[in-house]
């Protein structure tokens, strides 16, 4: 149980384009989903928290107009990196939790912006 | 504010020997403590958690962790290491109830044959 999937696992895009990453909880309903960013050999940095049906809460320093988060259902959240630039290249990881319990993480999405 | 410290960047252990990965935390209320493992280019896998109850928590793959309130520690342990245990281990804490997780910087565990 408690499986979280992410799609795509890897994406390469040109600078200036937008990229959408999907995060799905496969066998449970996620009242809350989280988006993290991880730089090489570093810990996870929380970007935003989203609750189903409401606007995401962004961490300080994270541009909400650049990283659009939608949590339209209890099993799906999307992160859209708008007008991506090379400095946005990173490993993006989502997690899902049911009513504040343990967070279960997706496998991550490697984004490379050329 | 809550924080987690993992004092070791890397832990080396021979296969078959016991292993310990250290973690200390700081929260103002009751801590909820977690250990996750990350394999290369993968997301995090949940190993175990402490919410309340017995101080010794048993988790996946033979791992366990001991909650020590007086030392504010939550060290991860395994009696006999496997080469396949080699990975990056993260300790995380949040204050009781619901709040965001704060992660340590991670400890790379290398188990040699």
């Amino acid at each position: 149980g408690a499986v979280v999937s992410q799609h795509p696992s890897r994406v390469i895009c040109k600078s200036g384009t937008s990229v959408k990453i999907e995060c799905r909880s496969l066998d449970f309903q996620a009242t809350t989903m989280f988006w993290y960013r991880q730089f090489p050999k570093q810990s996870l940095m929380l970007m935003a928290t989203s609750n189903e049906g409401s606007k995401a809460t962004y961490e300080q320093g994270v541009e909400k107009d650049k990283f659009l988060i939608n949590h339209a259902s209890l099993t799906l959240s999307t992160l859209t990196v708008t007008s991506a630039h090379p400095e946005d290249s990173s490993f993006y990881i989502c997690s899902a939790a049911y009513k504040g319990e343990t967070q279960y993480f997706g496998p991550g999405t490697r984004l490379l912006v050329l | 504010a809550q924080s987690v410290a993992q004092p070791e960047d890397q832990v080396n252990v021979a296969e078959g020997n016991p292993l310990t990965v250290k973690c200390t935390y700081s929260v103002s209320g009751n801590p909820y403590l977690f250990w996750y493992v990350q394999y290369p280019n993968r997301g995090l896998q949940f190993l175990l958690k402490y919410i309340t109850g017995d101080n010794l928590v048993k988790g996946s793959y033979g791992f366990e962790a001991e909650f020590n309130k007086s030392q504010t520690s939550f060290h991860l342990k395994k009696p006999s290491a496997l080469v396949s245990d080699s990975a990056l281990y993260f300790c995380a804490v949040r204050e009781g109830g619901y709040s965001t997780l704060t992660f340590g910087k991670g400890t790379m565990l290398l188990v040699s044959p």
Side-chain angles (χ1 to χ4, degrees):
Chain A
V3 179
V4 177
S5 69
Q6 271 184 252
H7 178 80
S9 58
R10 183 185 298 261
V11 58
I12 301 173
C13 69
K14 293 182 179 179
S15 185
T17 61
S18 294
V19 174
K20 180 185 285 188
I21 303 170
E22 292 187 349
C23 177
R24 293 181 184 272
S25 57
L26 299 184
D27 51 2
F28 67 102
Q29 293 184 328
T31 51
T32 308
M33 286 186 167
F34 304 83
W35 287 96
Y36 294 85
R37 185 171 178 178
Q38 186 180 30
F39 292 99
K41 298 185 179 180
Q42 292 190 28
S43 188
L44 280 71
M45 181 191 77
L46 179 64
M47 298 174 66
T49 302
S50 74
N51 292 295
E52 185 264 339
S54 61
K55 291 184 178 180
T57 302
Y58 290 81
E59 295 299 301
Q60 191 172 9
V62 178
E63 299 176 59
K64 61 181 181 181
D65 293 331
K66 181 168 186 62
F67 297 100
L68 300 179
I69 291 172
N70 183 277
H71 191 167
S73 76
L74 285 172
T75 59
L76 173 65
S77 176
T78 60
L79 167 67
T80 301
V81 183
T82 62
S83 187
H85 288 93
E87 58 266 28
D88 298 326
S89 299
S90 192
F91 194 52
Y92 292 88
I93 307 175
C94 74
S95 71
Y98 176 73
K99 292 186 177 180
E101 287 291 327
T102 305
Q103 288 185 33
Y104 294 94
F105 286 79
T109 297
R110 176 75 59 192
L111 171 63
L112 177 61
V113 185
L114 302 177
Chain B
Q2 55 196 38
S3 65
V4 177
Q6 291 182 243
E8 303 152 317
D9 290 337
Q10 184 168 308
V11 170
N12 297 300
V13 65
E15 187 174 33
N17 284 356
L19 68 87
T20 299
V21 183
K22 296 180 181 178
C23 171
T24 58
Y25 67 90
S26 175
V27 295
S28 55
N30 293 323
Y32 285 25
L33 293 153
F34 302 80
W35 274 101
Y36 289 88
V37 59
Q38 184 180 32
Y39 294 95
N41 297 310
R42 300 292 299 276
L44 275 65
Q45 294 180 29
F46 170 73
L47 281 179
L48 52 80
K49 67 180 177 182
Y50 171 82
I51 305 298
T52 185
D54 290 340
N55 290 341
L56 184 63
V57 179
K58 294 187 182 296
S60 306
Y61 313 119
F63 284 94
E64 58 188 29
E66 185 168 12
F67 171 64
N68 187 316
K69 187 174 182 178
S70 63
Q71 296 184 6
T72 61
S73 67
F74 190 56
H75 300 331
L76 181 69
K77 300 181 180 182
K78 187 173 182 180
S80 178
L82 299 173
V83 173
S84 57
D85 293 330
S86 298
L88 186 58
Y89 289 80
F90 288 100
C91 180
V93 68
R94 72 169 202 247
E95 195 172 336
Y98 173 75
S99 68
T100 57
L101 273 179
T102 297
F103 285 86
K105 63 181 177 148
T107 299
M108 178 62 71
L109 172 65
L110 293 177
V111 182
S112 56

